[in-house]
Amino acid sequence: MNWFHRPERRPPRLLTHYGGALYLLWMLLGIASLFLFWTPFNAGFDEAMRWLWLPWAIIVAGFMARYWHWLLGSGRSRWKGPVLAIGTCGVLILMSGPYVLLANAVGAKGWATYRGAAIHKFVSGTRGGGSPVVVFRDSAGRGDISVQASRANYEMLRMGETVECRFRTGSLGIPFRWRYRDEGPACEALGM
């Protein structure tokens, strides 16, 4: 028996009958956990893309290889199963961001103050006016930090002015604040 003439294997019953519900639960729990944290712009999602694209690609590719005949069969178009598997991989990578933030929050190492000169500002998104974002370079060498700002402070801020923010340092090194537990503004200079 060779690779192309293997007997058809079916995925476990849990996946064939409840896969859609498990997938939806994965996404809803991830979205719900986003309401727990306030982070710099796109924190968690950047790390998920960087760290988890390969493991998720291997898992999806392994699933496709093991259940290839089942993906092509069942009365579907020949392209539908593999395309859905690849699309699922992309969504799994994207929706891993909130879980990276949850893992980061476990074993947080304390507080850190990020301070530096504003180097860029832009409006993210276009619907409803978008969200004002300010980028500043941390003077302690921890990289560029992007944070959302109030509209008034965004307009008043000039390039080169000092921005200061206080975040918890997570176990994965991602700065964050608990939305409902941490008191006081995260970034005083930006009125947040």
Side-chain angles (χ1 to χ4, degrees), residues 156-176:
M156 292 187 328
L157 185 74
R158 293 189 180 105
M159 293 300 99
E161 283 187 53
T162 301
V163 177
E164 181 176 302
C165 297
R166 189 166 184 255
F167 291 103
R168 291 179 183 269
T169 303
S171 58
L172 300 175
I174 303 168
F176 76 98

Side-chain angles (χ1 to χ4, degrees), residues 75-146:
R76 301 181 198 97
S77 302
R78 290 188 62 80
W79 59 270
K80 197 178 233 181
V83 168
L84 286 174
I86 291 168
T88 298
C89 182
V91 173
L92 286 171
I93 293 168
L94 179 65
M95 290 310 299
S96 294
Y99 294 99
V100 169
L101 290 176
L102 282 171
N104 179 62
V106 174
K109 302 174 188 173
W111 291 89
T113 300
Y114 296 82
R115 180 182 303 118
I119 58 172
H120 183 59
K121 62 182 190 174
F122 62 93
V123 177
S124 171
T126 56
R127 291 188 179 188
S131 300
V133 177
V134 174
V135 182
F136 66 95
R137 181 155 294 136
D138 182 50
S139 58
R142 292 173 285 203
D144 295 347
I145 307 291
S146 304

Side-chain angles (χ1 to χ4, degrees), residues 3 11 13 17 24 29 33 46 56 68-69 76 87 90 95 102 109 111 126 134 138 147 152-153 176 192:
W3 175 263
R13 183 176 173 85
H17 286 100
L24 183 62
L29 287 175
S33 71
D46 291 341
W56 278 124
W68 182 254
H69 294 291
R76 301 181 198 97
M95 290 310 299
L102 282 171
K109 302 174 188 173
W111 291 89
T126 56
V134 174
D138 182 50
V147 292
N153 288 333
F176 76 98
M192 306 194 53

